[in-house]
Amino acid sequence: MRLLYFAWVRERVGRAEESVELPSSVQTVGDLIQWLTSRSEAYAQAFASPGVVRAAIDHRHVKSDARLAGAREVAFFPPMTGG
Amino acid sequence: MMTAVTIRIQEGDFDVASEIAALTRGRTDLGAVVSFSGICRGGEGDSAISAMTLEHYPGMAEAEIARHVEEAKRRWPVSAVTIVHRVGKLVPGDNIVLVLTASAHRQAAFQAAEFLMDYLKANAPFWKAEHRIEDGVSQQMWVDAHARDDDAAARWDK
């Protein structure tokens, strides 16, 4: 699965994208955040404030209970500030 | 006639008059065009910015805007829509975003333009970083999202 990071999430994680093989226990976006957070301090920093970082699966906004089955690309980013 | 939709994300500037001319060219069914331009401010109050960098999520940004346009078409009889959003480095006074909506009568065009801007600000994946000069040192800070932008988008969810 391809993971993408934007804006300050990208800066804190320290990379713009990566490919990961997920353990079968990671079923939802929330599980994925927990799994990433356990990998290193940088991920823990990026996801430190619960509920702040937004997620998208294959270019659509999702909540943390969204299931990852079939997802090709998951993105994490701060609340949007365009326009 | 089908709704003509143009969505572009680009580093370069846009010209409002040219975009309106392109939107209305060859059409006799349009009675109203509404134009909204978002412009890079030089700061708020005493807090001056020297520049701004806009980052986006390529692919999703276009898809998300297109979904908003579809929703606007579902709600109002809009005949044509153009949305241009700039990315990259901008300085105060530069254009950031353009929303054009056209319809047979003005009400649909006004409402669709306001709806599209409110939705775009709250949901389209763009992020602004402001560059400030403080004590002679250039700092880059990500702009915080405003609750008022979520509120503005939420008032259309009725």
Side-chain angles (χ1 to χ4, degrees), chain A residues 7 10 59 61 73 78 81 83, chain B residues 55 57 67 123 126-128:
Chain A
R10 168 176 51 74
H59 294 173
H61 291 292
E73 184 173 298
T81 55
Chain B
E55 176 173 334
Y57 180 177
R67 285 192 282 270
N123 299 305
F126 293 85
W127 302 274
K128 292 188 183 111

Side-chain angles (χ1 to χ4, degrees), chain A residues 4-8 10-11 54 56 59-61 73-75 77-83, chain B residues 55-57 59-60 64 67 85 96-97 121-128 142-145:
Chain A
L4 300 179
Y5 309 101
F6 292 95
W8 55 252
R10 168 176 51 74
E11 290 180 347
R54 311 291 178 91
H59 294 173
R60 283 181 179 272
H61 291 292
E73 184 173 298
V74 179
F77 42 78
M80 286 127 299
T81 55
Chain B
E55 176 173 334
H56 77 301
Y57 180 177
M60 180 170 171
E64 189 65 20
R67 285 192 282 270
H85 204 305
I96 302 174
V97 63
K121 280 195 88 83
N123 299 305
F126 293 85
W127 302 274
K128 292 188 183 111
W142 292 101
V143 174
D144 282 329

